[in-house]
Amino acid sequence: MRWIEAHTIRQVQRCLSANVPIVGGGSWLLSDGSVPEAVCDLREYPWAQGITGNESGWMIGPDVTLSQWLQALDSENVIAEVIRKMGTPIFRRVATVIGAVANPQPVADLYPVMRLLGADIFYIDLHHDSIQHEKLMWPFRANPRALVGLWVPASTPYRFIAFRKYTKGRLTRVLLNLGTGLAQQGDIMTADFVIGGLSQWPYEDRVAGASHSISHQISQRLRNQGNITPFYQALIMEMCDDVLNQWEHRADRRSEL
Ligand SMILES: Cc1cc2nc3c(=O)[nH]c(=O)nc-3n(C[C@H](O)[C@H](O)[C@H](O)COP(=O)(O)OP(=O)(O)OC[C@H]3O[C@@H](n4cnc5c(N)ncnc54)[C@H](O)[C@@H]3O)c2cc1C
């Protein structure tokens, strides 16, 4: 296998046009035993390296592993909560943050919370001679592309963001996950949710109304979708009610009431 370490836009574009797969931590190579003729490694791509953070957010380079980001985050941060639920410690030391957002699987754990936080991806494609950026959103519009940075803003429109995941065991395939962002003004609550596992692409929706009615509204919305089985509706509602309950009992919220 040829291991190509790309350092310039032209080198990356040559890989993209020759369909050379990009490699992050390589967990895909480890798990399915693929041996492509060549891979393109962006972990030393000089545009963004490591984790740079300031009061407005985080910039994550392609070299940053899940465990490095976890260590840099406050343990209460919802991103830390998501990463702690991903695989095993050794997996998190190998897999990269950008590998996890570049890999559009039907259920991917970082995606829902990154969407709610309004993360941006920076990428190289075949149509531009400079690095492009846009909001992270699957499916990606431009294909193929190589991600060289992830920007995660520190400020969010939400008062509370939570993540829930349903799986048979720590290392079995994730069956369903849910990211929820709650905003509240007086008694009016807005709940945005991103659910992975129902279909090929995560399902996103929003409900708003009196806070006591939010659970009922989400339940109605799921029922009206028509293609979500009663089993999945019940599972999602368990997760939503758990999140609403957690929000209800948060000390910082209680102190404001
Ligand atoms: C043991 C194990 C446990 C796992 N557990 C979880 C889990 O709990 N939750 C979860 O969500 N996922 C899980 N996964 C899936 C894993 O998170 C994803 O496969 C993730 O992509 C791994 O990151 P990586 O850096 O190793 O990516 P790689 O395996 O190197 O790459 C994955 C895919 O992303 C593409 N890619 C990587 N980097 C870039 C880039 N810079 N630009 C464009 N494309 C790129 C690759 O071409 C490939 O298609 C698990 C996988 C394994 C093997």
Side-chain angles (χ1 to χ4, degrees):
M1 183 195 302
R2 215 151 53 88
W3 201 278
I4 303 166
E5 288 184 347
H7 296 98
T8 65
I9 291 183
R10 278 305 300 142
Q11 286 171 339
V12 175
Q13 287 176 329
R14 271 200 293 275
C15 288
L16 292 175
S17 57
N19 291 323
V20 173
I22 315 278
V23 70
S27 25
W28 125 79
L29 294 173
L30 290 166
S31 63
D32 76 1
S34 313
V35 188
E37 273 177 34
V39 291
C40 177
D41 185 349
L42 295 179
R43 283 174 298 177
E44 293 195 11
Y45 193 84
W47 187 78
Q49 281 284 298
I51 305 172
T52 37
N54 58 32
E55 65 286 350
S56 51
W58 301 91
M59 178 62 87
I60 307 293
D63 56 325
V64 176
T65 63
L66 292 170
S67 98
Q68 284 167 339
W69 201 15
L70 180 59
Q71 277 165 28
L73 288 162
D74 184 283
S75 66
E76 299 276 290
N77 189 304
V78 65
I79 304 168
E81 190 191 324
V82 176
I83 296 176
R84 276 195 299 270
K85 289 180 175 150
M86 292 177 73
T88 56
I90 192 73
F91 163 75
R92 296 193 290 267
R93 283 201 287 274
V94 171
T96 61
V97 173
I98 289 199
V101 298
N103 186 11
Q105 318 163 80
V107 211
D109 287 329
L110 260 188
Y111 182 82
V113 164
M114 290 298 110
R115 274 292 290 157
L116 291 168
L117 289 170
D120 280 292
I121 46 166
F122 289 78
Y123 63 91
I124 295 169
D125 66 14
L126 292 171
H127 310 293
H128 304 89
D129 290 332
S130 59
I131 290 172
Q132 305 295 301
H133 72 99
E134 66 183 30
K135 289 271 165 257
L136 169 66
M137 186 158 89
W138 292 347
F140 293 133
R141 275 202 298 276
N143 252 328
R145 58 170 57 180
L147 273 55
V148 293
L150 176 74
W151 168 252
V152 185
S155 70
T156 133
Y158 305 111
R159 298 283 307 285
F160 182 54
I161 298 181
F163 176 75
R164 296 291 185 272
K165 162 172 175 171
Y166 180 74
T167 175
K168 283 191 208 158
R170 269 198 88 75
L171 279 182
T172 50
R173 195 171 60 83
V174 184
L175 296 174
L176 193 104
N177 63 19
L178 166 80
T180 315
L182 301 179
Q184 187 155 8
Q185 275 207 317
D187 188 43
I188 300 301
M189 179 181 268
T190 304
D192 285 341
F193 46 96
V194 182
I195 305 173
L198 292 172
S199 53
Q200 186 187 0
W201 304 112
Y203 160 56
E204 296 187 18
D205 214 333
R206 164 178 289 185
V207 297
S211 53
H212 69 268
S213 72
I214 285 294
S215 172
H216 176 69
Q217 287 200 47
I218 297 174
S219 168
Q220 284 288 115
R221 187 65 58 86
L222 296 176
R223 217 168 301 145
N224 292 345
Q225 280 299 308
N227 55 353
I228 306 178
T229 65
F231 166 75
Y232 273 100
Q233 287 176 31
L235 177 59
I236 296 164
M237 286 318 299
E238 277 299 327
M239 292 173 160
C240 285
D241 288 340
D242 190 38
V243 169
L244 292 168
N245 194 37
Q246 189 187 352
W247 166 238
E248 189 69 28
H249 290 92
R250 266 174 68 116
D252 57 345
R253 178 174 179 273
R254 279 209 309 275
S255 66
E256 285 167 16
L257 294 176

